[in-house]
Amino acid sequence: MPVLATARSRAGATLLGAVTAATLVAAAPAAAQPAPADSVLTWYDTTAAAIATGGAATQVTNNRTWAIAWLAGARAQTGTHSAVGQRAALAGAVHQTLITLIPGQQAAADATLATELAALPDRRQVRDGVAAGRAAAQRLIAERTGDGLDPASVNAPFTVPAAAPGVWQPTPPLFPAATQYGNRVARPFVLRSASQFRPVAPPALGSPRYEADLAEVRAYGSAASTLRTQAQTDTATFWLGSSLTLYTPILRAAVAQSPASIADRTRLIALFHVASVDTQIATSDAKYAYQRWRPVTAIQAGGDTSWLPLHTTPAHPDYPSGHNTYSGAAEGVLTGLTGPHARQPYTIGSPSAPGVTRTYTDWHQPSVENVDARVWSGIHTRNADLAGIRLGSDVARYVLSHAQPLLR
């Protein structure tokens, strides 16, 4: 099954590149100039630090901040053919977004802005660019007001249904209340509806696929597993943390390696996070439409009452896997806009595996590892993981094919 999934993902990635590359090249200014890496990366790092230090407790809210900041920058750069003008527009947009949405990080944002402006000529083009970026950010923040992606709305209360075979219930050891229920009614950036790419229903209870998936998790995802290798445990632990945290350095590597203009790289960051937001909305729609129980609930209900997963199960339904919808969307955007392979190997770390790094040469291998990791953690069935990859890929493809009106 992993081999089949790999082949399908690569085929989808190839199609995505063919469909979207021409679209975005056509949208780019004809006279765009090569960009110095440091200006885009400076604002990238400032955004990442502001969110890591003062961001929201809900991941999708932080993806929303990224999306607003960089989409505003992309809109402000429209029609600006010089690298200086693009750089000024980006500075105004990201700075305005950060001081508005994460006001506790204003000092750091102000310092970055001062450094950037000191490196630019003091002329009207720069002042106009900064003003355009600020205005674009203010308009977009106003447009997104009330979109349902604030933490309270994201974690709207969910009434747990009566216990029944296959139906999600709070999971051990703490049996916490459900999270991310409100995502399903949040307003997407691009999707027509949260259910637009809802996957088909998970395998029926008792079906061969269902039984095989559950047996795999029981054997390899148990805290007491004697079959899971150390390498498998390491993979599960490495990919345990927040998808946003894990993918921030992956996207940074793509941006750092790109020879494209400031405007093109701004669009890459914007569309990555737009797709991430819309994917998380679509994920919650599917999770709460199907309300499929987690492996720990199924295994314990089957009589193995002492079974526990390697890692604590998140507080929302199994199908599809949110880690893998995020991974599918990320791979789709990166492949569509930069090609399937990195220009050079890149290395990332993980907050759940301090001191450990992994090195990759493409955008696909992290998806492969994410699929396996959630099974080996004991918190998802493989079918939920593969459905997640497909859902994220579908959303990414749709976002990129509808990028032109979004960027104007």
Side-chain angles (χ1 to χ4, degrees), residues 343-387:
R343 296 174 69 86
Q344 56 187 278
Y346 62 94
T347 300
I348 65 170
S350 166
S352 52
V356 176
T357 61
R358 292 193 169 204
T359 299
Y360 302 96
T361 59
D362 62 18
W363 319 121
H364 180 63
Q365 186 60 28
S367 296
V368 173
E369 293 185 15
N370 254 308
V371 169
D372 288 334
R374 304 310 267 179
V375 174
W376 297 334
S377 282
I379 58 182
H380 273 303
T381 57
R382 185 169 295 277
N383 186 263
D385 293 339
L386 295 175

Side-chain angles (χ1 to χ4, degrees), residues 12 25 36 40 58 85 92 127 226 287 322:
V25 167
V40 175
T58 43
R127 294 190 293 272
T226 59
K287 280 181 177 288

Side-chain angles (χ1 to χ4, degrees), residues 16 59-60 63-64 66-68 71 188-191 197 267-283 322 325-334 337 391-401 406:
L16 180 60
Q59 175 177 275
V60 70
N63 281 117
R64 174 187 184 270
W66 273 100
I68 288 174
L71 183 55
F189 278 86
V190 181
L191 292 182
F197 294 107
R267 284 190 283 271
L268 169 60
I269 297 166
L271 293 174
F272 182 99
H273 287 284
V274 165
S276 297
V277 170
D278 282 13
T279 294
Q280 289 172 81
I281 293 171
T283 299
T325 60
Y326 197 108
S327 188
E331 180 186 347
V333 171
L334 292 173
L337 298 185
L391 175 57
S393 298
D394 286 343
V395 174
R397 186 179 296 108
Y398 187 81
V399 166
L400 294 184
S401 67
L406 179 70

Side-chain angles (χ1 to χ4, degrees), residues 20-407:
T20 62
T23 300
L24 290 183
V25 167
Q33 300 176 19
D38 59 356
S39 76
V40 175
L41 291 181
T42 292
W43 282 113
Y44 189 97
D45 293 342
T46 298
T47 308
I51 287 173
T53 304
T58 43
Q59 175 177 275
V60 70
T61 309
N62 293 324
N63 281 117
R64 174 187 184 270
T65 298
W66 273 100
I68 288 174
W70 291 79
L71 183 55
R75 289 178 175 180
Q77 290 166 346
T78 301
T80 302
H81 304 303
S82 73
V84 169
Q86 293 170 2
R87 187 172 174 180
L90 178 62
V94 178
H95 179 266
Q96 185 65 48
T97 302
L98 294 181
I99 66 174
T100 304
L101 299 183
I102 317 179
Q105 298 302 304
Q106 178 161 353
D110 287 349
T112 300
L113 180 65
T115 300
E116 280 292 287
L117 293 182
L120 294 173
D122 182 16
R123 60 184 189 227
R124 182 172 180 176
Q125 180 188 33
V126 172
R127 294 190 293 272
D128 287 350
V130 172
R134 291 197 185 284
Q138 290 166 340
R139 286 192 299 271
L140 189 49
I141 291 169
E143 289 173 18
R144 297 302 303 180
T145 298
D147 60 8
L149 292 169
D150 58 284
S153 297
V154 166
N155 287 328
F158 171 69
T159 301
V160 178
V167 177
W168 182 84
Q169 299 290 300
T171 51
L174 299 178
F175 301 93
T179 59
Q180 302 176 14
Y181 180 57
N183 267 6
R184 77 200 197 290
V185 295
R187 174 159 46 96
F189 278 86
V190 181
L191 292 182
R192 297 191 305 271
S193 72
S195 62
Q196 183 175 344
F197 294 107
R198 184 185 293 174
V200 299
L205 300 188
S207 66
R209 179 57 191 270
Y210 172 83
E211 294 296 344
D213 277 354
L214 199 60
E216 181 184 25
V217 179
R218 183 187 294 112
Y220 289 92
S222 169
S225 174
T226 59
L227 296 178
R228 187 181 58 248
T229 67
Q230 185 59 52
Q232 291 169 336
T233 299
D234 292 344
T235 295
T237 301
F238 188 89
W239 288 101
L240 181 62
S242 154
S243 292
L244 171 60
T245 301
L246 287 160
Y247 267 93
T248 293
I250 295 178
L251 175 58
R252 190 187 192 280
V255 173
Q257 294 179 18
S258 172
S261 69
I262 290 177
D264 285 332
R265 293 189 296 146
T266 298
R267 284 190 283 271
L268 169 60
I269 297 166
L271 293 174
F272 182 99
H273 287 284
V274 165
S276 297
V277 170
D278 282 13
T279 294
Q280 289 172 81
I281 293 171
T283 299
S284 288
D285 165 78
K287 280 181 177 288
Y288 286 98
Y290 294 120
Q291 297 181 28
R292 174 53 64 95
W293 61 4
R294 286 282 185 160
V296 63
T297 308
I299 293 169
Q300 290 189 1
D304 192 351
T305 56
S306 64
W307 190 94
L308 288 173
L310 172 64
H311 295 125
T312 300
T313 302
H316 39 76
D318 179 59
Y319 183 88
S321 160
H323 261 58
N324 282 287
T325 60
Y326 197 108
S327 188
E331 180 186 347
V333 171
L334 292 173
T335 299
L337 298 185
T338 72
H341 300 285
R343 296 174 69 86
Q344 56 187 278
Y346 62 94
T347 300
I348 65 170
S350 166
S352 52
V356 176
T357 61
R358 292 193 169 204
T359 299
Y360 302 96
T361 59
D362 62 18
W363 319 121
H364 180 63
Q365 186 60 28
S367 296
V368 173
E369 293 185 15
N370 254 308
V371 169
D372 288 334
R374 304 310 267 179
V375 174
W376 297 334
S377 282
I379 58 182
H380 273 303
T381 57
R382 185 169 295 277
N383 186 263
D385 293 339
L386 295 175
I389 293 289
R390 288 191 295 270
L391 175 57
S393 298
D394 286 343
V395 174
R397 186 179 296 108
Y398 187 81
V399 166
L400 294 184
S401 67
H402 290 74
Q404 285 182 314
L406 179 70
L407 293 167

